[in-house]
Amino acid sequence: MFDKNLDEMTEADAEKLLLRIAPRINEHAAAVAEQCGRLPIALCAASSALKAKRSLSPEDYLKRLRDKKERLKLHDEVRNLTVEACFSLSYELLNEELQRRWRKLAIFPTDFDAPAAAAVWQTDVEAAKDALAELEEYSLLEWEETARRYSLHDLAHDFADTRLSATEREQTGLLHAAHYLQILSTADDLYLKGNEAIAGGLSLFDNERVNIEAGQEWAATRFTGDEQAARLCNRYAGYGVYVLNLRQHPRDFIRWQEAALYAARKLRDRRGEGTRLGNLGNAHRSLGEVRTAIEYHQQALNIAREIGDRRGEGIGLGNLGIAHRSLGETEKAMKFTEAALKIFEETESPNANTARSWLEDLRGKS
């Protein structure tokens, strides 16, 4: 195994190595070290190249290093070894199944836990832990004891990504997106339990946010031609609506809801379409775009009536009441809120109390 070449150096040691070989790197040492992932073989190759090629400025070389393919081509003249070849040597020591599993880890944009690896590998968690431990022995995986999470070094990620076939990328992307949809749903469920569970739900979302967003993006960029992706895209906007409301900027929230709206329409999911329209109305109202919000709420109301969804009809009417109140249109707000209250009472909805309170306030202003 080739642990020395694949073991990450400290930031200070990495910069010291670069400057010892090529002093002219100067103030660019930190940036070059970062692009090289602080791996000895990459650092030696980069500094040697800058030492030998005097016409190549550190600034121009940094631009090259930002291309992952160029980083993998870094060549250490002393060892006569490229970064890619160095990873290949360790990769080829793995059996075929472990190779397959390792390259699938490139689907993770950031660190991950054992259950997530098990999900994309379609195996149980204990078997996943055994395989992850073996990959760590080959210096192909990093383990963070405190957080109890795994990660691929940036350059290892680049290498693994080049080994993924198109079919593997799509299959693994689907599994990754489906797993993190469930994580998002769990975060929302915890939040809805209230009390101490609220912090747990928000913490879970925060810890997994990068992977959750990657899962939603995967689904959102594929739903037009893939029914499974469309279902995932539709659900991402609904399964986490409460934590998303708290954690996302309204514009990001709108982007997710718009993608889900198009997915719901593709799936002919009228109830889902109505829900997404209502969420978009609320988001635009929070931005002060009340007229736009009213348009969305009216569309949501029309769908609720069309499919006989009394609960959705009540919510749509209530949202229209809130929107018109925001514009100071008290009479319209009262009309919609009274209609909403009637439905909430008929359906024994807990929203009835809120509607009564709103109505009393509106009557006091009329």
Side-chain angles (χ1 to χ4, degrees):
M1 289 178 281
F2 299 85
D3 294 0
K4 278 191 174 182
N5 290 327
L6 298 178
D7 285 344
E8 188 173 330
M9 300 178 74
T10 66
E11 186 175 337
D13 286 345
E15 292 180 30
K16 190 181 297 183
L17 175 60
L18 286 170
L19 293 170
R20 178 166 57 82
I21 298 174
R24 74 187 185 93
I25 295 176
N26 205 359
E27 72 272 16
H28 301 288
V32 173
E34 181 183 353
Q35 290 300 319
C36 290
R38 300 202 295 272
L39 293 186
I41 183 173
L43 293 164
C44 288
S47 54
S48 296
L50 284 167
K51 179 182 179 181
K53 301 174 182 178
R54 301 291 299 176
S55 62
L56 181 61
S57 71
E59 295 92 337
D60 289 339
Y61 196 60
L62 268 171
K63 291 177 184 177
R64 293 188 188 182
L65 289 179
R66 292 189 177 105
D67 181 333
K68 68 180 180 181
K69 290 182 179 178
E70 289 298 318
R71 289 199 299 268
L72 290 174
K73 289 178 184 176
L74 284 170
H75 184 260
D76 182 353
E77 300 292 345
V78 175
R79 297 175 178 83
N80 191 27
L81 199 65
T82 63
V83 171
E84 183 171 22
C86 190
F87 279 113
S88 290
L89 290 168
S90 288
Y91 178 71
E92 288 165 9
L93 290 173
L94 307 177
N95 61 45
E96 189 174 323
E97 176 61 17
L98 206 52
Q99 286 181 355
R100 184 183 68 83
R101 289 186 171 185
W102 183 68
R103 62 181 178 260
K104 285 189 173 186
L105 296 180
I107 208 68
F108 293 100
T110 187
D111 54 31
F112 55 90
D113 59 15
V120 301
W121 288 344
Q122 295 181 285
T123 189
D124 62 84
V125 175
E126 291 307 312
K129 286 180 178 178
D130 290 341
L132 290 165
E134 192 171 352
L135 289 170
E136 189 187 357
E137 290 177 8
Y138 283 88
S139 296
L140 291 172
L141 193 64
E142 297 177 0
W143 164 249
E144 217 299 304
E145 180 68 35
T146 304
R148 303 196 67 76
R149 294 175 73 83
Y150 302 88
S151 64
L152 289 178
H153 186 281
D154 287 349
L155 290 174
H157 187 281
D158 291 347
F159 178 86
D161 188 63
T162 65
R163 294 301 187 269
L164 265 181
S165 69
T167 300
E168 285 178 328
R169 191 181 305 280
E170 290 304 301
Q171 291 173 343
T172 310
L174 173 62
L175 293 167
H176 175 275
H179 175 74
Y180 283 101
L181 173 63
Q182 292 306 313
I183 296 296
L184 177 60
S185 178
T186 300
D188 226 37
D189 289 344
L190 285 170
Y191 176 84
L192 288 172
K193 286 182 180 179
N195 301 320
E196 296 85 2
I198 292 176
L202 294 175
S203 177
L204 176 59
F205 177 79
D206 292 341
N207 289 337
E208 301 292 4
R209 181 168 188 161
V210 174
N211 276 305
I212 288 170
E213 290 177 340
Q216 188 275 340
E217 183 179 2
W218 183 92
T221 55
R222 289 165 174 78
F223 74 80
T224 55
D226 185 327
E227 187 169 318
Q228 286 181 297
R231 293 189 187 283
L232 288 172
C233 183
N234 190 18
R235 290 169 182 166
Y236 259 100
Y239 279 23
V241 68
Y242 294 100
V243 294
L244 293 175
N245 256 319
L246 285 172
R247 288 301 197 239
Q248 283 186 318
H249 185 278
R251 292 297 179 197
D252 292 326
F253 184 85
I254 286 170
R255 181 170 52 81
W256 278 38
Q257 295 297 322
E258 285 177 340
L261 173 62
Y262 301 142
R265 285 172 174 166
K266 173 181 172 55
L267 296 166
R268 295 185 175 86
D269 175 8
R270 294 292 276 165
R271 188 181 297 273
E273 182 180 353
T275 300
R276 306 300 164 246
L277 287 165
N279 290 342
L280 282 165
N282 289 333
H284 280 284
R285 181 173 57 80
S286 74
L287 290 170
E289 300 164 356
V290 184
R291 292 296 179 193
T292 300
I294 288 172
E295 291 176 9
Y296 279 117
H297 287 315
Q298 187 62 58
Q299 291 180 64
L301 177 60
N302 293 343
I303 289 175
R305 287 172 170 167
E306 176 190 323
I307 65 176
D309 178 8
R310 291 289 279 170
R311 176 181 174 277
E313 183 179 357
I315 291 172
L317 288 164
N319 283 332
L320 283 166
I322 294 169
H324 282 290
R325 174 178 169 157
S326 299
L327 293 173
E329 297 172 352
T330 305
E331 287 188 16
K332 285 185 177 181
M334 285 179 63
K335 181 186 75 170
F336 284 115
T337 307
E338 285 171 348
L341 176 59
K342 183 179 179 181
I343 292 175
F344 291 149
E345 288 176 337
E346 287 175 1
T347 58
E348 298 181 350
S349 168
N351 291 324
N353 289 331
T354 303
R356 287 190 197 98
S357 177
W358 276 95
L359 203 51
E360 286 176 12
D361 187 52
L362 286 166
R363 284 169 177 161
K365 294 182 178 181
S366 62

